[in-house]
Amino acid sequence: MTASVSNNPKNRPPENNWRNTLYTIIFEADTPAGKLFDEVLILSILLSIIVVMLDSVSSFAAIYGDLFYTLEWIFTILFTVEYFLRLICVGRPIRYATSFFGIIDLLAILPTYLGLLLPGGRYLVVIRGLRLLRVFRVLKLAQYMGEADLLIRALRASRRKITLFLFTVLTLVVILGSLMYVIEGAESGFTSIPRSIYWAIITLTTVGYGDIVPETNLGQALASVIMIIGYSIIAVPTGIVTSEITYASKYFKGRVCQNCSFEGHDIDAKFCKRCGAKL
Amino acid sequence: MTASVSNNPKNRPPENNWRNTLYTIIFEADTPAGKLFDEVLILSILLSIIVVMLDSVSSFAAIYGDLFYTLEWIFTILFTVEYFLRLICVGRPIRYATSFFGIIDLLAILPTYLGLLLPGGRYLVVIRGLRLLRVFRVLKLAQYMGEADLLIRALRASRRKITLFLFTVLTLVVILGSLMYVIEGAESGFTSIPRSIYWAIITLTTVGYGDIVPETNLGQALASVIMIIGYSIIAVPTGIVTSEITYASKYFKGRVCQNCSFEGHDIDAKFCKRCGAKL
Amino acid sequence: MTASVSNNPKNRPPENNWRNTLYTIIFEADTPAGKLFDEVLILSILLSIIVVMLDSVSSFAAIYGDLFYTLEWIFTILFTVEYFLRLICVGRPIRYATSFFGIIDLLAILPTYLGLLLPGGRYLVVIRGLRLLRVFRVLKLAQYMGEADLLIRALRASRRKITLFLFTVLTLVVILGSLMYVIEGAESGFTSIPRSIYWAIITLTTVGYGDIVPETNLGQALASVIMIIGYSIIAVPTGIVTSEITYASKYFKGRVCQNCSFEGHDIDAKFCKRCGAKL
Amino acid sequence: MTASVSNNPKNRPPENNWRNTLYTIIFEADTPAGKLFDEVLILSILLSIIVVMLDSVSSFAAIYGDLFYTLEWIFTILFTVEYFLRLICVGRPIRYATSFFGIIDLLAILPTYLGLLLPGGRYLVVIRGLRLLRVFRVLKLAQYMGEADLLIRALRASRRKITLFLFTVLTLVVILGSLMYVIEGAESGFTSIPRSIYWAIITLTTVGYGDIVPETNLGQALASVIMIIGYSIIAVPTGIVTSEITYASKYFKGRVCQNCSFEGHDIDAKFCKRCGAKL
């Protein structure tokens, strides 16, 4: 077999025919077998999530409960086998097991086993949805990856500003929530400071369930102030992220090949993909 | 008849006096007759929508029900005749029938006929509202078209980023909704995973009906987290769209005629509309 | 008296001592008397609004109702006298009476008289609040005016895009509201198409009162779609306005005096306010 | 003792060994003792807030009430001692006592004493949370400070535009609220103009509790208009803040060392932190 270019060659096992072939099928998507494997995997993940969702609807569970239960175990056993195959065929199993995707792959099979001990726990298998991220990466949806990269870059660049903003919001809701607790008291539903903070979050974020509502005049006046604060400061994270996205986009879009004036290079490209000139 | 410049000359029927005249009246708005036709059409569409709306109000329907019913059929028959006239006078009837506006023209008359089989179906005639889009295009509200063009361009440029964002939001609500189902359980109204996901969407988008509300402490804590996430990540689509609109606007506004320094050219203009110099 | 520079010299009456003096006091704020008049006016407007508000609270009205009623008439008579003085001392009374501020000045006194015929009508005197706009203008809060000018300019520049956006939103809520009417029907509170459209607006704008709520599975699924649409398309007006404000600000801030490099000129300045060089 | 660089050397007391040492410990964080003091302080503040929160939950208070009460007094006495130590060791006690942080330090201890007179008042000790701001400043989280500086700069630059926006929003809710009071009247919950204004704020900010809801057709139509206004004008503060943050960021990011092309200087840096060249 000629070596296909792997995602991360360091994870590839040393020369060993069957492990190498398995690795190519499971971790890559360049061969027909690898692509088929990934497509079957996406389908299985989606189906197993749908089964669990339907199982939680009591009218469906009453009729098809046994079928759903059987299917769930079939999917779980399949994913368990897959997990061990990944462990076997990868070059450094411990590095894989402790990687972001390795942990998600494990979390995706645990809930069903957990469900044997804790009824209800098995519904957490929807965490399997996160596995789709890996498969999408393997399928190399290149343009989406470029855009995702840009967004992540923008969010990472603004992480400190966002942290400051969230810290301010948290301080605000703690102080305003406690103030409301003192003003309104238990008879309006503000039964404790944590519950009043919960109300302040509902109000500041403009969610407004209406399950707890101020009833005194002073309380309604303070609530009005909180609403207007919440309505105004949403501008801050938006401004931060917009500014970073604009900056990242400009950098991204501004890269034009000096030789052939081609635009739209990948964000990490060093050479023009059309004429090969250095960027 | 001197040939008026048509919207799309390929759709124009071959030399044939009455079909050509009909085409000019129905599909164009450059002649007085064509303009009158379009204006009558806009009025009819608006009136037919108002009739259906009033008919749905039981107090009006009780008194004027028969009148509304008669009017609705009159409008539907008129639009049906118009649809067939369009089919007849257009150069390539199949291409028209399968075009975006051709389908909308058909959908605009079907609900009334459908209402004979399915009571309630006839209320869907409000889809006629979409026909206004075509008429506005025919009326050549040029500046609005330019702006709409710019907005559509910006949205199209950000479609991949928006898709990524919506995919992230969907994954979030599925996982968080399931978690809430496990935490809260049926007695608080979280009766199934799909219903919990519905609640998660209500909370994340900051709509907050309050029809389903967490009641346990852990549930309220998780709800607070979802609210703050929803309040913060709204910044992402806003940032994306703002960045693209700014980019598109700059391109749009930056175009100044080198010869006479006139600004505000159409987005697809190749020559200055004031002095004719090449842009 | 030396002629002070008036706001709009064309409105100034022809040489006539007492009318000219009155004009200076009422319409301008450059003389001590004029400034005092404006300050008394602001106070009277604010007081008259507060009186009407308190009068609407039944517990206050029960005790101080007569006092409030007397005060309201005193303020109304004062404002009526002021309105006629404005008419008398202005150069062209009809132009004033039909101007934006002339109409507001009239609307500010009518509700109390209207209240003699229509009980409840008198609460509309809060429209007096709009008069504050004029007084603020007279007080020449120069920097605020510059900023307001910039904002109005940005909003005016984006009016066509905003109109397109609102038209799209309206078409969306009409079609989605009607669809919900067909899906949910009267038993869930969707009693008519207009009411369903009202619900669609509540949902799309993420207000979410919770007074009308979908109960069928299909209805909740469609509601989820509407919420996510509403959550996403808020990005469009934000993007439009942000783009225009950024553009206007850049123009505003970019203006640097070539001679003394002073920044921060008024948006309509033609000469540097520090060194007098032409900009 | 060699003089360590203080935050604000003017506050440092004149040559006086024990006061100087105390000042270094309490107000600075460059020595091990100073750093330890700040870390213990952060912990005490967080613990004292948690104690008050738990104490407000009746089920906890029933069991641990006495413990919480004792702990609260211990923290309060500690903070009182700390406050007087700050007064003693600072160079100009009155300037400290009247400074922003001096007032917060005082407010952080008053509520417990106030609680002796006014039950409920003691819950206001959560205001201690604001003290964290000072400690964070002392700890010199330099990069966070730079970002916070940028945000504050952007918000300060937009304060006039935000004031104009808030003034417009206030005028809107007063007029629209009064109009709703006239339209809906007391039977729908619009019992007074202040309460109707409260409702208008709930609606305009898209919070939408649903505790007060219009019931007449006209009222629902006006409510729809308010919602759409609220949904649209959120774009204005967002646009303002975004524009200023973009402007401030550009200034911040654009600063590249001419000598070594290092980016990312502090906003107030005058020399390159890598090569020392003048910026």
Side-chain angles (χ1 to χ4, degrees):
Chain A
M1 194 193 115
T2 59
S4 70
V5 185
S6 99
N7 240 357
N8 187 347
K10 285 161 204 161
N11 285 330
R12 178 171 278 276
E15 209 55 58
N16 178 327
N17 262 1
W18 70 267
R19 276 179 65 198
N20 221 322
T21 309
L22 206 59
Y23 182 88
T24 315
I25 292 170
I26 295 182
F27 281 93
E28 293 169 13
D30 321 43
T31 56
K35 211 174 162 88
L36 182 70
F37 177 85
D38 284 327
E39 284 163 3
V40 169
L41 193 58
I42 291 182
L43 206 74
S44 308
I45 293 169
L46 289 176
L47 276 177
S48 77
I49 292 175
I50 290 168
V51 163
V52 166
M53 281 191 186
L54 292 179
D55 190 32
S56 77
V57 183
S58 51
S59 59
F60 287 119
I63 312 173
Y64 305 108
D66 291 339
L67 173 65
F68 290 152
Y69 193 73
T70 315
L71 280 172
E72 199 187 317
W73 273 106
I74 291 174
F75 282 122
T76 302
I77 289 165
L78 277 177
F79 292 147
T80 310
V81 170
E82 182 221 341
Y83 181 69
F84 282 106
L85 285 180
R86 279 182 192 266
L87 273 181
I88 290 167
C89 77
V90 89
R92 302 177 188 176
I94 288 155
R95 172 170 287 189
Y96 160 69
T98 56
S99 72
F100 175 69
F101 282 114
I103 291 167
I104 284 177
D105 289 349
L106 184 62
L107 285 177
I109 51 173
L110 283 187
T112 315
Y113 298 109
L114 190 81
L116 293 175
L117 304 170
L118 254 163
R122 67 199 185 89
Y123 294 117
L124 295 176
V125 297
V126 293
I127 210 169
R128 278 171 194 168
L130 287 181
R131 294 199 65 193
L132 294 174
L133 290 177
R134 112 95 55 82
V135 183
F136 286 151
R137 208 186 57 163
V138 172
L139 284 182
K140 294 203 184 71
L141 300 165
Q143 289 203 285
Y144 281 86
M145 284 304 121
E147 305 268 6
D149 197 52
L150 191 150
L151 286 182
I152 289 165
R153 215 168 267 240
L155 290 176
R156 195 175 292 157
S158 50
R159 73 185 177 288
R160 275 199 223 96
K161 291 200 206 75
I162 296 286
T163 307
L164 280 167
F165 172 74
L166 287 180
F167 181 77
T168 312
V169 164
L170 241 83
T171 312
L172 266 177
V173 294
V174 167
I175 292 178
L176 292 171
S178 306
L179 213 60
M180 280 304 275
Y181 173 68
V182 175
I183 293 173
E184 286 283 324
E187 62 274 19
S188 319
F190 293 79
T191 50
S192 69
I193 292 185
R195 199 167 158 80
S196 300
I197 292 172
Y198 167 67
W199 170 86
I201 293 173
I202 290 176
T203 303
L204 195 85
T205 57
T206 77
V207 170
Y209 283 140
D211 54 344
I212 316 171
V213 154
E215 270 157 32
T216 66
N217 291 334
L218 193 56
Q220 293 185 346
L222 184 58
S224 300
V225 172
I226 301 177
M227 285 175 218
I228 288 176
I229 291 175
Y231 187 64
S232 304
I233 62 172
I234 182 75
V236 176
T238 305
I240 294 165
V241 173
T242 302
S243 164
E244 291 297 339
I245 289 181
T246 306
Y247 184 79
S249 299
K250 201 173 287 170
Y251 181 80
F252 190 61
K253 277 183 181 140
R255 299 216 304 163
V256 181
C257 175
Q258 299 281 351
N259 192 39
C260 70
S261 63
F262 176 74
E263 271 188 81
H265 297 285
D266 292 340
I267 206 161
D268 54 354
K270 288 205 161 52
F271 294 92
C272 174
K273 61 163 98 166
R274 198 160 69 176
C275 73
K278 204 169 177 187
L279 288 173
Chain B
M1 191 194 117
T2 59
S4 70
V5 184
S6 99
N7 240 356
N8 187 345
K10 284 162 204 161
N11 285 330
R12 181 171 275 278
E15 208 57 57
N16 179 327
N17 262 2
W18 70 267
R19 276 179 67 197
N20 221 323
T21 309
L22 204 61
Y23 183 88
T24 313
I25 293 170
I26 295 182
F27 280 93
E28 292 169 15
D30 321 42
T31 56
K35 212 175 161 84
L36 182 71
F37 176 84
D38 284 326
E39 284 164 4
V40 169
L41 191 59
I42 290 182
L43 206 73
S44 308
I45 292 169
L46 289 177
L47 276 176
S48 78
I49 291 175
I50 290 168
V51 163
V52 165
M53 281 191 187
L54 292 179
D55 189 32
S56 77
V57 183
S58 50
S59 59
F60 287 119
I63 311 173
Y64 304 107
D66 291 340
L67 173 65
F68 291 150
Y69 194 73
T70 315
L71 280 172
E72 199 187 316
W73 273 105
I74 291 174
F75 282 121
T76 303
I77 288 164
L78 277 178
F79 292 145
T80 311
V81 169
E82 183 220 340
Y83 181 70
F84 282 106
L85 285 180
R86 279 182 193 269
L87 274 181
I88 289 167
C89 77
V90 89
R92 303 178 189 176
I94 288 156
R95 173 171 284 190
Y96 160 70
T98 56
S99 72
F100 176 69
F101 282 114
I103 291 167
I104 284 177
D105 289 349
L106 183 62
L107 285 177
I109 50 174
L110 283 187
T112 316
Y113 298 108
L114 190 81
L116 293 175
L117 304 170
L118 254 164
R122 65 200 187 90
Y123 293 115
L124 296 176
V125 297
V126 293
I127 210 170
R128 278 171 194 167
L130 288 181
R131 293 199 65 192
L132 294 176
L133 290 177
R134 112 95 56 82
V135 184
F136 285 150
R137 209 185 57 162
V138 172
L139 285 183
K140 293 204 186 71
L141 299 165
Q143 290 202 284
Y144 280 86
M145 283 304 123
E147 306 269 5
D149 197 51
L150 191 149
L151 286 182
I152 288 165
R153 216 169 267 238
L155 290 177
R156 195 175 292 157
S158 50
R159 74 184 177 288
R160 273 197 225 98
K161 290 201 205 75
I162 296 285
T163 308
L164 279 167
F165 172 74
L166 287 179
F167 181 77
T168 311
V169 164
L170 241 84
T171 312
L172 266 177
V173 294
V174 167
I175 291 178
L176 293 171
S178 306
L179 213 58
M180 281 303 275
Y181 173 69
V182 175
I183 293 173
E184 286 283 325
E187 62 273 20
S188 318
F190 293 78
T191 49
S192 67
I193 291 186
R195 198 165 157 81
S196 300
I197 292 172
Y198 167 66
W199 170 86
I201 293 173
I202 289 175
T203 303
L204 194 86
T205 57
T206 77
V207 171
Y209 283 139
D211 54 344
I212 316 172
V213 154
E215 271 157 32
T216 65
N217 291 334
L218 193 56
Q220 293 185 346
L222 184 59
S224 301
V225 172
I226 300 178
M227 285 174 216
I228 289 177
I229 292 176
Y231 187 62
S232 304
I233 61 172
I234 181 76
V236 175
T238 306
I240 294 166
V241 172
T242 303
S243 164
E244 290 297 341
I245 289 180
T246 307
Y247 184 79
S249 298
K250 200 173 288 171
Y251 181 80
F252 190 61
K253 277 182 181 142
R255 299 217 304 164
V256 181
C257 176
Q258 298 282 354
N259 192 41
C260 70
S261 63
F262 176 75
E263 268 188 82
H265 297 285
D266 292 338
I267 206 160
D268 53 354
K270 288 206 162 52
F271 294 92
C272 175
K273 61 163 96 164
R274 199 162 67 177
C275 73
K278 201 169 178 186
L279 288 171
Chain C
M1 190 193 117
T2 58
S4 69
V5 185
S6 99
N7 239 357
N8 187 347
K10 284 160 204 161
N11 285 330
R12 180 170 276 278
E15 209 55 58
N16 179 327
N17 262 1
W18 70 267
R19 275 180 67 197
N20 222 323
T21 311
L22 205 61
Y23 183 89
T24 314
I25 293 170
I26 294 182
F27 280 94
E28 292 169 14
D30 321 43
T31 57
K35 210 173 162 85
L36 183 71
F37 177 84
D38 284 327
E39 283 163 5
V40 169
L41 192 59
I42 290 182
L43 207 73
S44 310
I45 292 170
L46 289 177
L47 276 177
S48 77
I49 292 175
I50 290 168
V51 163
V52 164
M53 279 191 190
L54 292 178
D55 190 32
S56 77
V57 183
S58 50
S59 59
F60 288 119
I63 311 174
Y64 305 108
D66 292 339
L67 173 65
F68 290 151
Y69 193 74
T70 315
L71 281 172
E72 198 187 317
W73 273 106
I74 292 174
F75 282 121
T76 302
I77 288 163
L78 277 177
F79 292 146
T80 311
V81 170
E82 183 220 340
Y83 181 69
F84 283 105
L85 285 180
R86 280 183 192 268
L87 273 180
I88 289 166
C89 77
V90 91
R92 303 176 188 176
I94 287 155
R95 173 170 285 192
Y96 160 69
T98 57
S99 72
F100 175 69
F101 282 114
I103 291 167
I104 284 178
D105 289 349
L106 184 62
L107 285 177
I109 50 174
L110 283 187
T112 316
Y113 298 109
L114 190 81
L116 293 175
L117 303 170
L118 251 164
R122 67 199 187 89
Y123 293 115
L124 295 177
V125 297
V126 293
I127 210 168
R128 278 171 194 168
L130 287 181
R131 293 199 64 194
L132 295 175
L133 289 178
R134 113 94 56 79
V135 184
F136 285 150
R137 209 186 56 162
V138 172
L139 284 182
K140 292 203 186 72
L141 300 166
Q143 290 203 284
Y144 280 87
M145 283 305 122
E147 306 269 5
D149 196 52
L150 192 149
L151 285 182
I152 289 165
R153 214 168 270 238
L155 289 177
R156 194 175 294 156
S158 50
R159 72 184 178 289
R160 274 198 222 98
K161 290 200 206 76
I162 296 286
T163 308
L164 279 168
F165 173 74
L166 288 180
F167 181 76
T168 311
V169 164
L170 242 83
T171 312
L172 265 177
V173 293
V174 167
I175 292 178
L176 292 172
S178 306
L179 212 59
M180 279 305 273
Y181 173 69
V182 175
I183 292 173
E184 285 284 324
E187 63 272 21
S188 318
F190 293 79
T191 50
S192 67
I193 290 185
R195 198 165 159 79
S196 300
I197 292 172
Y198 167 67
W199 170 87
I201 292 173
I202 290 175
T203 303
L204 196 84
T205 57
T206 78
V207 170
Y209 283 140
D211 54 343
I212 316 171
V213 154
E215 271 157 33
T216 64
N217 290 333
L218 193 56
Q220 294 186 346
L222 184 58
S224 301
V225 171
I226 300 178
M227 286 174 216
I228 289 177
I229 291 176
Y231 186 65
S232 304
I233 63 172
I234 181 75
V236 175
T238 306
I240 294 166
V241 173
T242 303
S243 163
E244 290 297 341
I245 289 180
T246 307
Y247 184 79
S249 298
K250 200 172 289 171
Y251 181 80
F252 190 61
K253 278 184 181 139
R255 299 218 304 167
V256 180
C257 174
Q258 298 280 353
N259 192 38
C260 69
S261 63
F262 176 75
E263 269 187 83
H265 298 286
D266 293 338
I267 205 161
D268 52 354
K270 288 207 162 48
F271 294 92
C272 175
K273 61 162 96 164
R274 198 161 70 175
C275 74
K278 202 169 177 187
L279 288 173
Chain D
M1 190 194 117
T2 58
S4 70
V5 185
S6 99
N7 240 357
N8 187 347
K10 284 161 204 161
N11 285 331
R12 180 170 277 276
E15 208 56 58
N16 179 327
N17 262 0
W18 70 266
R19 275 180 67 199
N20 221 321
T21 310
L22 205 60
Y23 182 89
T24 314
I25 292 170
I26 295 182
F27 280 93
E28 293 168 14
D30 322 42
T31 57
K35 211 173 162 87
L36 184 70
F37 176 84
D38 284 326
E39 284 163 4
V40 169
L41 192 59
I42 290 182
L43 205 72
S44 310
I45 293 170
L46 288 177
L47 276 176
S48 77
I49 292 174
I50 290 168
V51 163
V52 165
M53 280 190 188
L54 292 179
D55 190 31
S56 77
V57 183
S58 51
S59 60
F60 288 119
I63 312 174
Y64 304 108
D66 292 339
L67 173 66
F68 290 151
Y69 195 73
T70 315
L71 280 173
E72 197 187 318
W73 274 106
I74 292 174
F75 283 121
T76 303
I77 289 165
L78 278 177
F79 292 146
T80 311
V81 170
E82 183 221 339
Y83 181 69
F84 284 105
L85 285 179
R86 281 183 191 266
L87 273 180
I88 290 166
C89 78
V90 90
R92 305 177 187 174
I94 287 155
R95 174 170 287 188
Y96 161 71
T98 57
S99 72
F100 175 69
F101 282 114
I103 291 167
I104 284 177
D105 289 349
L106 183 63
L107 285 177
I109 51 175
L110 284 187
T112 316
Y113 298 109
L114 190 81
L116 293 175
L117 304 170
L118 252 163
R122 67 199 186 89
Y123 293 115
L124 295 177
V125 297
V126 293
I127 210 170
R128 278 171 193 168
L130 287 181
R131 293 199 65 194
L132 294 175
L133 289 177
R134 113 94 56 81
V135 184
F136 285 150
R137 209 187 55 163
V138 172
L139 284 182
K140 293 201 186 73
L141 300 165
Q143 290 204 284
Y144 280 87
M145 284 304 122
E147 306 268 6
D149 197 52
L150 192 151
L151 286 182
I152 289 164
R153 214 168 268 238
L155 290 177
R156 195 175 293 156
S158 50
R159 72 183 177 291
R160 274 198 223 97
K161 290 200 207 77
I162 296 286
T163 308
L164 279 168
F165 172 74
L166 287 179
F167 180 77
T168 312
V169 164
L170 242 84
T171 312
L172 265 177
V173 293
V174 167
I175 292 177
L176 293 172
S178 307
L179 212 61
M180 279 305 274
Y181 173 69
V182 175
I183 292 173
E184 285 283 324
E187 63 272 20
S188 319
F190 293 79
T191 51
S192 69
I193 290 185
R195 199 166 158 80
S196 300
I197 292 172
Y198 167 67
W199 170 86
I201 293 172
I202 289 175
T203 303
L204 196 84
T205 57
T206 76
V207 170
Y209 283 141
D211 53 343
I212 317 170
V213 154
E215 271 157 31
T216 65
N217 291 333
L218 193 56
Q220 294 186 344
L222 184 58
S224 300
V225 171
I226 300 177
M227 286 175 217
I228 289 176
I229 291 175
Y231 186 64
S232 304
I233 62 173
I234 182 74
V236 175
T238 306
I240 294 165
V241 173
T242 302
S243 163
E244 291 298 341
I245 290 181
T246 307
Y247 184 78
S249 298
K250 202 173 286 170
Y251 181 79
F252 190 62
K253 278 187 181 134
R255 300 216 305 163
V256 180
C257 174
Q258 299 280 352
N259 192 39
C260 71
S261 64
F262 177 75
E263 269 187 83
H265 297 286
D266 292 339
I267 205 160
D268 53 352
K270 289 209 159 50
F271 294 92
C272 175
K273 61 163 96 165
R274 199 161 69 175
C275 72
K278 202 169 178 185
L279 288 174

